Amino acid sequence: MASMTIRNIDDALKRRLRIRAASHGRSMEDEARDILRSALATGETPRNLVQSIRARVAPTGGVDLDIPAREPIRDMPDFEK
């Protein structure tokens, strides 16, 4: 199994972890493992930014935009005249 060290944990956060671990009758390390396991066990596949934006905007129904007709490409300017 792999090991991991977490540095610079806020004292208040560490205190809350210690209290939570004690209330569940286990060590802080075991409690941290359980928290990570629970947080990552959702089975949710990661979405990319576009999917996240679409999911957030979809309930509003979207907007239909009028797209103007394209015009023919103009002639290239002649700078030699």
Side-chain angles (χ1 to χ4, degrees):
M1 291 229 167
S3 291
M4 182 170 72
T5 302
I6 303 173
R7 293 180 176 80
N8 301 323
I9 295 177
D10 184 20
D11 290 334
L13 182 62
K14 183 179 177 185
R15 190 176 320 108
R16 288 176 53 201
L17 179 62
R18 187 182 68 231
I19 293 168
R20 181 174 166 161
S23 72
H24 291 135
R26 53 185 164 209
S27 68
M28 286 180 24
E29 185 177 313
D30 203 22
E31 185 70 19
R33 270 195 297 269
D34 189 61
I35 291 169
L36 285 170
R37 196 177 300 113
S38 297
L40 299 175
T42 61
E44 202 175 283
T45 56
R47 298 185 308 190
N48 65 25
L49 180 60
V50 172
Q51 290 172 332
S52 297
I53 293 171
R54 282 187 180 146
R56 183 167 288 206
V57 176
T60 62
V63 176
D64 290 327
L65 299 175
D66 293 327
I67 300 175
R70 299 188 92 186
E71 298 176 4
I73 298 175
R74 65 179 188 199
D75 293 331
M76 292 197 41
D78 184 9
F79 295 112
E80 293 183 8
K81 292 184 182 177

